[in-house]
Amino acid sequence: MAFFWNMFQSDQINRNNTIASEAQIKTRSHSGDLDHLEKRLDTLSLASQAMWEILQTKYGVSEQELMLKMEEIDLRDGTKDGKLNPEYSTDCPDCGHKVKKRRGSCYWCGSRLNDGNPFTS
């Protein structure tokens, strides 16, 4: 009986080791995506701040005008949720598969999708 119990335990350990290995691989993959998103957020924040300061100083745009325009843009998709909902996908320039615009790399081939525009990549 002990032999079967040991075989069962060994099988459970092997399964758990496999699950742990797969989790490590996913973690590394997500870490790269997170780094890309943090860089994108930093770039977008910097670009937004620069544009806001230009609009204020050069054209006298008020904060109220900015907030109204943000609300107008937010409602374009029919939902006031504080999110911009651009088109969902684009074609990968390397493999041609459809890829969500917010991804930093193609899900299918891994190609980087950043075109240098802080508002589209």
Side-chain angles (χ1 to χ4, degrees):
M1 188 72 168
F3 173 75
F4 291 113
W5 178 251
N6 288 338
M7 280 184 54
F8 173 76
Q9 291 288 30
S10 179
D11 184 54
Q12 291 290 61
I13 290 169
N14 287 335
R15 285 183 195 182
N16 288 333
N17 285 338
T18 300
I19 291 169
S21 294
E22 290 171 355
Q24 286 178 333
I25 291 168
K26 287 180 182 179
T27 299
R28 283 188 212 113
S29 172
H30 293 312
S31 177
D33 289 343
L34 181 60
D35 289 344
H36 171 75
L37 289 173
E38 287 175 343
K39 288 176 186 175
R40 183 169 182 233
L41 178 61
D42 290 342
T43 300
L44 289 170
S45 296
L46 183 61
S48 295
Q49 184 64 33
M51 287 189 298
W52 172 235
E53 290 182 17
I54 290 169
L55 289 170
Q56 272 185 313
T57 57
K58 242 183 175 177
Y59 302 105
V61 176
S62 70
E63 191 169 332
Q64 182 180 8
E65 288 176 284
L66 175 68
M67 299 304 288
L68 287 171
K69 181 52 87 171
M70 288 173 61
E71 184 175 346
E72 174 192 322
I73 293 169
D74 183 21
L75 288 169
R76 287 181 186 169
D77 64 358
T79 306
K80 185 175 180 180
D81 56 5
K83 297 178 184 177
L84 180 63
N85 195 2
E87 288 183 46
Y88 288 103
S89 65
T90 187
D91 294 331
C92 173
D94 289 340
C95 72
H97 279 95
K98 292 280 185 198
V99 183
K100 288 183 179 180
K101 282 190 174 183
R102 294 185 178 190
R103 287 195 55 92
S105 60
C106 177
Y107 176 79
W108 303 100
C109 71
S111 177
R112 296 299 300 167
L113 300 174
N114 187 346
D115 65 1
N117 183 338
F119 298 102
T120 62
S121 59

